[in-house]
Amino acid sequence: MVHSKQIRVLVLNDMEKLDRTLFRQDQGFELQFRLGPTLQGKPVQVHTNYPSKGKKFDRHKFCTLEWINPNEREDDSDKFCTLDLHIAGSYQYYFGHGKEEKSGGGYFVVDPVLRVGANNRILPLDCITIQTYLSKCLGPLHEWPDRLRVAKESGYNMIHFTPLQVLGKSRSCYSLADQLDLNPDFSPPEKRYTWTDVGVLVQKLKKEWDMLCITDVVYNHTAANSPWIRQHPECGYNLVNSPHLKPAWVLDRAVWHLTCDIADGKYEDQGLPALVQNNEHLDKIRGVFDKDVFPKIKLWEFFQVGVDRAVDQFRKLLESGKAVKSKPGAEAQLTIIQDPEHRRFGCTVDMSVVLAAFVPHSNSPEAIEECCSGLRKRLEEMNEERRKEAHYHQEQAINCIMGNVVYERLADHGPKLGPINRKNPLVTRYFTFPFEEMTLNQELLLIHLADKACHFLAHNGWVMADDPLRNFAEPGSNVYLRRELICWGDSVKLRYGDKPEDCPYLWAHMKKYTEITAKHFAGVRLDNCHSTPLHVAEFMLDAARAVRPDLYAVAELFTGSEDLDNVFVNRLGIGSLIREAMSAGDSHEEGRLVYRYGGEPVGAFVQPSLRPLVPSIAHAMFLDVTHDNECPIQIRSPYDSLPSSAIVSMACCATGSTRGYDELVPHQISVVKEERLYTKWNPEAEASATGEVSLASGIIAGKLALNRLHQELAAKGFIQVYVDQVDEDVVAVTRHCPSTHQSVVAVSRTAFHNPKTHHYRDEVPPMFIPGKIEEVVLEARTVERHAGVYGKDETSINGMPEYTVEITEHIQLKESEVVRQADVTSKGPNEFVQEIVFERLTPGSVIAFRVSLDPKAQELVGVLRNHLIQFSPHYKSGSLSDSDAPAILKKPLTSIMSRLTLADMNVLLFRCDAEEQEDGGGCYTIPSWVALKYGGLQGFLSVMADIRAKNDLGHPFCDNLRQGDWMIDYVSNRLLSRGGPLQQVGEWFQAMFGYLKHIPRYLIPCYFDAILVGAYTTALDAAFNKMSEFVQTGSTFVKLLALGSVQMCGVGRNPALPPLSPNLEAVPYRLNDPTGTKEQCCVSLAAGLPHFSSGIFRCWGRDTFIALRGLMLVTGRHLEARNIILAFAGTLRHGLIPNLLGEGAHARFNCRDAVWWWLQCIQDYCKLVPNGTDILQCPVSRLFPTDYAKPQEPGVEDQPLYEVIQEAMQRHAEGIEFRERNAGPQIDRNMQDKGFDVVVNVDPETGFVSGGNKFNCGTWMDKMGESEKAGNKGVPATPRDGAAVEIVGLSKSAVRWLVELYEDEVFPYAEVTVQRDDMEVSWSYDEWNDLIQNNFEKMFYVSHDPEDPNEKHPDLVHKRGIYKDSYGASSPWCDYQLRPNFTIAMVVAPELFTTKRAWGALEIAEKKLLGPLGMKTLDPDDMVYCGVYDNALDNDNHNTAKGFNYHQGPEWLWPVGYFLRAKIHFAKMMGKEAYDETVFLVKNVLSRHYVHLERSSWKGLPELTNENGQYCPFSCESQAWSIATVLEVLHDL
């Protein structure tokens, strides 16, 4: 099915919490939640806070999503709930079931849609080119357009303003004194501007300049001199609301007083001057702390117990008779309880623990005093431990202080602050102190005065390598005490608490600030986002989105972890994370960042519109440099600005820069100290002008061209990216459009080092660009000019006039001054490569080429896309109609496919290597890799599904496609040789491949995939349309299983079935190629792939008829099922159906059960097929009219089917005894001689069909020992002689059915005749039916009653409440083994079982035998159980050598179907609760089969697994009966 809408599917798995996984969605997408295997069958409810239609978003309000089951089936494979995503933001989902309200969950983020211009056109996020302005450097508001015009004329489409609010005393752009008022600096004396005026300007930029504006929001701190924080000190961390900061405050004041003392020269005589210049001075500072500071302030006292007070309290308790009984270990539990108010010696101990730890031996004063002394000693020890802890904190504090001093005063890269004084203290103060200077001792008294202490507010800052999700100012953190904060002394950290009620003024104030911002600006940059409490940022951004739903939120995170980044992006709905090219140490890393931050690889596969939701990385805003980082010119060179900008501009994400970068300002424009104004735009400005700029200034002309190019590439869908590191300095970035196949290749030669002082190599390696270069989009290089030398202007932020850019745009290649020559070489008939040799690609240069495919190749791609439109509207763009298309392409593929039979589909889609080899071919093999699983399309699609999802274009499969046409030809030639409708499909492929072969090789994998996916999905639709309504309307799981019918049912070169009667109607015929004669070509059913798929080992009676109901009757393949039933009927001999069919003539009649499975299938056919009983009259051509007849030609001896059925029943009643033909090693090299003797009879006492002996194995558990070393050769592992439980059930089902047929007058026989006491006696089917019914539970049920009179071997009973596996085995122990076979009898003859007993036995089987995919074939409590099958292992272990344990533990899949069907049947009888639980079990078990099917490259279910579902390499990868019985469960549901 083709979906034009983009749908993403999120599969829910139990206990999967994806809070740190990012799922980005576009508006207009549909998000579907589906159940993973761990949840299928459970009553799962999905909740989300995405708002219901017409409702407003409330983060804390969740609605429950409704489940949609499109096929109204019981299985959960297609069940989903859905959201149509039309509102930007961050949303949460969670799900639960039963008592588990939340058993998993996560977030999804819906990107905003930004609009610009008078016509409100969409600005895609990848189109953004942003420039940052420090608002305080823009001057009065009426002058802003002149300064902002620089951004417009430089090609930017978004401006980022630092905050526009009133600044604090420090004049830092990010220290705001009043969040609600506009900075008065923007107003001239005669006029006061307001937010309305700002809004008008922003709208003008949006409508007239096509530019959007965003600004910062600062939630973490406010300026220390904010008037409102003085009135509302509760909004910060002070000593009243955060008493844990008291010790840190005391240390901070002591450090300040030390600053004053050093500045005042008090330590000069000790060798410590105010100007710190060397390590000796540093050592002196350290010594002063140890000798003077810490002993004076005694920080440890804040963490210690008042010993005298505690001992007195303890003494009084003892004296008042409160002593308790001693508790061992109580003293070890004694710990200091920290005083929440952090008073000196304010800590306490738990007196109940003290009383239990120190118990006096009597009530005498001496005994009490002895206890008090013991306590005093222990408390002093504990206080000493606290003193040591405080000492560790002090040591860290000194280390951090010294680190600051070294950086600020000694380090070459530091600010070199000069002498210590009050303006530049020893270290930045951690707390505000809004009072007059006083002595330290006087200050320390203020700590006890709440009206004063509330104004000692903690400054904000950042902590290196700290957990960004932890608030470093909250209790439990010692950051302030240990001086680990890199402090911003101009700002106070804000204390929000957990909710608005905790600090109402602050939340309301900041909410209003947010709403003002959102009203006027398209987006916000979250300043210091990683340190902003997440719940606060969530609340504020929710308020912002209430004002502006499509708010664009950007942030710069310093978490150091992508997982942690995702927490912020998820919770806050961040649209883009700021990334910086300056973080790259070389050009290689810069190129890697381009690749990392966006785009898919060139030649990527087309992804289906309905596909899994996969985790993504946060959308990037990739900047040359951010405004608060060092200037690139100082770190690299002026020549690098242009090429690094070019590399950034080619990134498939938002890009940008900061004002000053393009003008080549050679220093960082400080957000704190810069007070000059930006230059204005003047197109005529002289190079030497300091207050104006033009296109001739710096690299502005180059940036204009690059910004235009960036926007064009994003707008026109150039979403594919390739980065080529040409050499250590040259990076080539390709952007490719997957619909037009145009490319732009930008080659940048970086100049991280100044070319004047660094030697760059003279030659640049040539480049090879595939396709035809249409034009040089631009070539530019940084050059020196004579316009004076840079001098820092007093009033304007000026750049370096001595550099400019030489740029030429939109020229032909021959006009280029950078390229010397461009030779065209041919790589294929329509693939041209241009070799580019560079002449003047000097350091600091850029050249960009626009490249198209060769015209012929371009045309062929367009035509190919036109023919692919029938599969997806995605291919419309870039398509070309083709009037000369081959005739076969003028028909829709659906009409060609509709002519294929399901047998043809088997050839088209499947056929494993052995099947292909029968036709003289084989599956396609990729050299240096592997052969594909199938010759048909599934072989290719299984590999491509994995490659496509990952865009793994380096896979050997893709290499093979690029290197030659071998795979392409294989697909079409294989079908062309077939004739008929398949040949037409081959012609269609050949015609499509005719175009494919002539396009550039790098595009072949994606278009080969597109062709095959289209053909494959069309074929599947056509196949399902030929199946039953159950399949056509079924779930995806049903369809996947039904595909097993196509996989297993086919016609080989040599017919696998013996010929049917020539008198039978509707038998398919074909011409035999070599002989030219007409022959029957009936579909046969392979037992399993790859081992049982061809030749004489393809068809097995037992396997065929266990699988036939599910794969043929349930899927609606009635005629083919009829033919198989009749073909096997023709082989009846000795009253048996063969096990190995051997094409009929080579059949082996060595199994007791195949005939009963055959009869069960005839019964199912009669019941499931309309007029099904007509089959009883169909002629059967007997291959062996008598037991010892030679094979006869078809039509020589015909009988109606009902006669053959009666013969089978009659022969069993008479008793069957014969020796296999050709007995000996020629037919079985392992079997002992007695094993070739076949005996089957019916017990006249019980009606049970019995037989076999201990030398053979006549049921499906038919492993014959092969190891001479272990001594098990010729020994059956599981003889199951006697009456096997499933044969008893199948025979009961057969006789009951024959009774019904006789009563309905469609079967002429009511009885069989047997010899008893030399007399011929009639035995009615009614009597036989009753006999089995009356004896089954007596003989098979192992009751809970130890005295059960029916129990012949009570000594062998080891599990009760089960059904025996057999009755009357030669080794009686085997009867009592717990195996899954009784469930088969439950399904075919449920009337044999008492409901309660059946239910109990099924519960035991579930507990003991049920595995992830299959059923254990033996009770794991059994002494011979071994769950790992290894057929290659030959050792001396009798139980396992040469796979002897094939059916002694490994988990076979097909019995699961019968177990689940039995469970469903009896659950209905047990009541609603049992039925509901069973439906959950069934869905849950089957979900694992669904997952296996989806992931299997064979698209099948295996024969068996090892224990606990582990992969078994000796198993068939896809087994007919495994698929069939699972499909039957879904049919029953």
Side-chain angles (χ1 to χ4, degrees), residues 594-632:
V594 171
Y595 183 76
R596 172 81 180 134
Y597 293 139
E600 53 188 38
V602 173
F605 294 96
V606 173
Q607 304 296 337
S609 52
L610 169 65
R611 61 180 184 269
L613 180 62
V614 293
S616 47
I617 65 166
H619 183 260
M621 176 177 277
F622 190 30
L623 307 181
D624 306 318
V625 64
T626 57
H627 63 287
D628 47 7
N629 268 347
E630 294 170 285
C631 168

Side-chain angles (χ1 to χ4, degrees), residues 1248-1301:
F1248 299 166
V1249 175
S1250 300
N1253 62 44
K1254 64 181 181 181
F1255 300 103
N1256 59 29
C1257 26
T1259 72
W1260 78 276
M1261 293 183 163
D1262 55 359
K1263 177 66 181 180
M1264 181 61 72
E1266 301 173 43
S1267 174
E1268 291 179 351
K1269 193 183 286 185
N1272 65 27
K1273 186 177 170 88
V1275 178
T1278 41
R1280 302 188 71 233
D1281 54 341
V1285 65
E1286 76 275 18
I1287 295 179
V1288 174
L1290 288 161
S1291 58
K1292 170 68 169 69
S1293 174
V1295 292
R1296 179 198 64 229
W1297 171 58
L1298 292 177
V1299 168
E1300 292 165 5
L1301 288 182

Side-chain angles (χ1 to χ4, degrees), residues 860-973:
L860 292 170
V861 168
V863 170
L864 185 54
R865 291 179 73 84
N866 187 54
H867 290 301
L868 289 169
I869 292 171
Q870 62 183 303
F871 306 128
S872 169
H874 168 86
Y875 295 102
K876 276 183 183 167
S877 65
S879 65
L880 287 173
S881 58
D882 179 19
S883 53
D884 299 326
I888 192 75
L889 294 184
K890 291 179 178 171
K891 300 178 195 169
L893 184 60
T894 42
S895 71
I896 302 170
M897 289 286 190
S898 66
R899 296 185 52 221
L900 268 59
T901 64
L902 289 173
D904 291 331
M905 289 292 182
N906 169 261
V907 177
L908 175 64
L909 297 172
F910 295 105
R911 290 173 49 100
C912 68
D913 197 54
E915 294 173 279
E916 290 289 302
Q917 285 182 19
E918 268 198 334
D919 281 351
C923 291
Y924 188 77
T925 302
I926 294 168
S928 78
W929 198 51
V930 294
L932 303 185
K933 301 291 188 269
Y934 295 112
L937 298 183
Q938 186 64 62
F940 300 87
L941 267 294
S942 287
V943 179
M944 291 195 299
D946 204 34
I947 296 172
R948 185 187 316 114
K950 299 173 188 168
N951 264 323
D952 184 6
L953 291 163
H955 193 283
F957 186 97
C958 299
D959 281 343
N960 188 262
L961 279 167
R962 285 190 292 265
Q963 286 163 10
D965 295 336
W966 314 289
M967 192 188 301
I968 297 168
D969 289 336
Y970 174 92
V971 172
S972 53
N973 292 346

Side-chain angles (χ1 to χ4, degrees), residues 54 112 167 174 239 310 356 420 437 471 535 538 640 750 780 878 915 982 1005 1052 1123 1141 1207 1294 1298 1368 1415 1434:
L167 299 182
Y174 290 95
L239 304 192
I420 294 168
E437 293 280 324
N471 186 334
H535 63 289
E538 275 182 331
D640 188 62
T750 58
E915 294 173 279
L982 277 172
N1123 292 344
L1141 179 60
E1207 182 180 328
L1298 292 177
M1415 296 285 281
D1434 192 8

Side-chain angles (χ1 to χ4, degrees), residues 107-176:
Y107 291 83
F108 55 94
V109 175
V110 183
D111 284 338
V113 173
L114 304 179
R115 295 181 180 274
V116 292
N119 58 354
N120 244 10
R121 64 180 173 79
I122 290 175
L123 175 67
L125 298 190
D126 288 345
C127 266
I128 290 170
T129 50
I130 190 169
Q131 190 174 44
T132 295
Y133 279 76
L134 307 189
S135 301
K136 68 177 182 177
C137 298
L138 280 164
L141 191 66
H142 58 271
E143 292 182 11
W144 284 25
D146 291 338
R147 294 190 169 92
L148 296 176
R149 185 171 281 278
V150 177
K152 178 183 188 296
E153 300 299 337
S154 303
Y156 293 98
N157 56 23
M158 186 177 279
I159 290 173
H160 161 230
F161 296 102
T162 59
L164 283 70
Q165 282 77 8
V166 182
L167 299 182
K169 192 175 174 183
S170 70
R171 298 285 296 162
S172 165
C173 294
Y174 290 95
S175 181
L176 309 183

Side-chain angles (χ1 to χ4, degrees), residues 463-534:
V463 182
M464 203 171 286
D466 193 35
D467 177 0
L469 298 178
R470 180 184 80 135
N471 186 334
F472 55 75
E474 290 288 341
S477 166
N478 290 308
V479 161
Y480 283 87
L481 175 60
R482 292 160 62 88
R483 305 293 295 191
E484 291 168 335
L485 184 73
I486 295 159
C487 182
W488 302 322
D490 60 349
S491 298
V492 166
K493 185 169 179 65
L494 295 174
R495 182 179 182 269
Y496 289 87
D498 295 330
K499 53 192 180 301
E501 293 78 9
D502 293 344
C503 194
Y505 179 84
L506 178 59
W507 288 78
H509 180 78
M510 297 310 245
K511 183 184 180 194
K512 192 171 181 186
Y513 159 49
T514 301
E515 288 168 342
I516 290 170
T517 305
K519 179 181 177 183
H520 298 298
F521 291 92
V524 294
R525 174 186 174 273
L526 290 154
D527 178 59
N528 202 23
C529 180
H530 53 283
S531 296
T532 305
L534 265 171

